[in-house]
Amino acid sequence: MEYIKGTKEFTSSPCVVVLGNFDGIHIGHRKLICKALQLSRELGLKSLVLTFDPHPSFVLANKEPVDLIYLRCEKERILKDIDVFVEYPYDLNTAKMTPENFVEKVIAGQLNAKYVVVGKDYRFGHKRKGDIGLLEKLSSIYDYKLVTIDKIEYNGNIVSSTWIRKEIKEGNISLANELLGANFSIKGKVVEGKKNGKRFLYPTANIIPHRYKILPPNGVYYSHIYVNNQKYHSITNIGINPTLNGQQKVVETHILDFDEDIYGETVIVELIEFIRKEKKFNSIDELKQEITNNINYVTELIRKHED
Ligand SMILES: Cc1cc2nc3c(=O)[nH]c(=O)nc-3n(C[C@H](O)[C@H](O)[C@H](O)COP(=O)(O)O)c2cc1C
Ligand SMILES: Nc1ncnc2c1ncn2[C@@H]1O[C@H](COP(=O)(O)OP(=O)(O)O)[C@@H](O)[C@H]1O
């Protein structure tokens, strides 16, 4: 995948363009992406995803981009089949562009779009005045075809990033994963902790989560971890380790049947199922007993799944 960021000075060969903010790439977004991939294969065109960086709300409302389901580095993994991923700089000049101007200059001009794939409610340009009606109207002038995709529903409700954020915050990881069409994941570098794991408890690979990343409530989750592209079953605690008077929020993963030094490695932790809330125990022994119970539960879960 070619990745274009931080510049407006680029052009593309004829392509199928997918437009969207793709805050949390969910089953609705995946449908757009699949359609674009299918068209690009059939027609021998490049597939290109265009989003904005920073998020428009950061520039327009001066809001910090908090509670991100995917950080940029995490999106690349999901968009791996796409040929080109563009993060178009969203500054005050971009915000001022009329929708007509954006289509002429960027979509038809720079991107050389032959197909434009968007959700039915896609809005763009100054004050979000552009919509699919305008994209359709301009398609004959700029010689592209418009493909619109209906909003996807799950149990009668329209799937949205806002809904998924709510489920993640409430700890409903299994449902969030259904809506994402993938397991919610946290990517980061394994850092050194206080070494209490190996000494008194179980070793855990520690990641300090990015301050913009959304996280579920502090607690213990059945997880998968990818180390050097190899997948392992694991159990993850998200929290501050109150029993050992910790202060900082850490994502800590104990990998089952594993005994390697992975400090400094970039890993991906996927959360699969909520097990329990994080608690302050009266002693390290009590904490260890509970962690052992949790590991046994996960081992049993994996065994049942493999039967
Ligand atoms: C499955 C699991 C569950 C845990 N649950 C708790 C908990 O409920 N409360 C707590 O204070 N710490 C909990 N911990 C965190 C341990 O306290 C932590 O792993 C230990 O402090 C080691 O820290 P270190 O990596 O800095 O050495 C849990 C760890 C694991 C692996
Ligand atoms: N099964 C395992 N799960 C997680 N980490 C492991 C495992 N076996 C070995 N390790 C290594 O041990 C480190 C964690 O040991 P720990 O005592 O918890 O130290 P720290 O406090 O630095 O996290 C990990 O970062 C990793 O390099």
Side-chain angles (χ1 to χ4, degrees):
M1 185 182 70
E2 189 188 346
Y3 175 42
I4 300 172
K5 176 192 162 63
T7 176
K8 295 182 181 178
E9 305 303 315
F10 65 91
T11 51
S12 163
S13 52
C15 63
V16 180
V17 175
V18 189
L19 301 171
N21 271 322
F22 304 123
D23 228 2
I25 303 168
H26 55 60
I27 47 179
H29 299 137
R30 281 169 195 272
K31 201 168 157 198
L32 296 184
I33 292 164
C34 277
K35 184 70 193 169
L37 286 173
Q38 180 209 333
L39 286 168
S40 79
R41 275 189 214 111
E42 279 169 18
L43 303 162
L45 298 170
K46 271 190 186 173
S47 54
L48 185 150
V49 169
L50 180 91
T51 65
F52 294 105
D53 179 60
H55 193 285
S57 68
F58 183 56
V59 176
L60 299 175
N62 211 4
K63 271 197 265 168
E64 291 256 288
V66 284
D67 286 347
L68 296 179
I69 299 175
Y70 291 113
L71 303 171
R72 198 200 59 236
C73 63
E74 295 170 329
K75 278 187 192 169
E76 285 172 48
R77 177 180 179 227
I78 299 158
L79 299 174
K80 64 181 186 335
D81 295 330
I82 289 281
D83 294 315
V84 189
F85 177 34
V86 180
E87 289 196 312
Y88 197 84
Y90 198 87
D91 52 24
L92 292 174
N93 287 330
T94 310
K96 271 196 286 192
M97 279 176 106
T98 63
E100 290 81 358
N101 204 221
F102 187 72
V103 172
E104 182 192 353
K105 238 194 116 239
V106 182
I107 299 179
Q110 286 180 254
L111 302 183
N112 214 340
K114 294 298 160 210
Y115 276 79
V116 174
V117 184
V118 289
K120 287 239 156 87
D121 64 341
Y122 184 67
R123 308 296 298 232
F124 67 103
H126 188 56
K127 297 200 167 146
R128 294 168 49 87
K129 281 187 183 147
D131 60 8
I132 55 168
L134 182 72
L135 281 171
E136 185 63 60
K137 198 171 119 195
L138 297 177
S139 65
S140 56
I141 303 175
Y142 296 110
D143 194 26
Y144 63 81
K145 288 196 172 56
L146 178 68
V147 179
T148 59
I149 305 276
D150 281 323
K151 291 233 141 185
I152 291 251
E153 292 190 2
Y154 185 91
N155 287 344
N157 297 307
I158 289 175
V159 176
S160 68
S161 301
T162 308
W163 181 14
I164 298 170
R165 268 195 282 272
K166 176 179 168 287
E167 299 302 342
I168 294 173
K169 283 202 159 171
E170 289 175 7
N172 300 323
I173 285 299
S174 313
L175 176 54
N177 290 347
E178 290 278 329
L179 300 174
L180 286 169
N183 297 323
F184 173 69
S185 60
I186 304 152
K187 183 175 176 178
K189 205 183 238 196
V190 178
V191 297
E192 297 204 17
K194 299 196 201 87
K195 317 274 179 196
N196 287 324
K198 272 189 184 160
R199 237 179 302 161
F200 310 117
L201 298 154
Y202 291 91
T204 55
N206 299 2
I207 303 177
I208 308 300
H210 192 283
R211 64 195 168 108
Y212 293 159
K213 176 84 181 177
I214 193 168
L215 287 174
N218 289 354
V220 180
Y221 297 82
Y222 165 45
S223 56
H224 295 155
I225 186 169
Y226 289 82
V227 184
N228 292 319
N229 291 324
Q230 177 83 36
K231 177 178 159 184
Y232 300 90
H233 292 291
S234 55
I235 185 161
T236 295
N237 183 59
I238 298 180
I240 58 163
N241 307 341
T243 311
L244 289 139
N245 298 319
Q247 306 277 314
Q248 190 179 22
K249 190 143 174 166
V250 189
V251 174
E252 291 192 273
T253 303
H254 172 69
I255 311 168
L256 304 187
D257 304 317
F258 184 88
D259 184 18
E260 286 174 34
D261 180 342
I262 53 167
Y263 287 123
E265 297 285 346
T266 296
V267 297
I268 297 167
V269 177
E270 290 183 342
L271 303 184
I272 314 293
E273 188 186 299
F274 172 77
I275 299 175
R276 68 165 172 86
K277 286 189 178 154
E278 185 184 54
K279 282 190 292 196
K280 185 172 169 75
F281 289 85
N282 293 325
S283 68
I284 293 190
D285 280 350
E286 267 183 46
L287 170 61
K288 180 155 193 181
Q289 185 51 55
E290 182 61 16
I291 296 178
T292 306
N293 294 342
N294 299 148
I295 292 174
N296 290 341
Y297 170 78
V298 164
T299 309
E300 186 58 18
L301 207 70
I302 298 163
R303 198 188 57 73
K304 274 196 201 141
H305 200 73
E306 282 169 351
D307 279 348

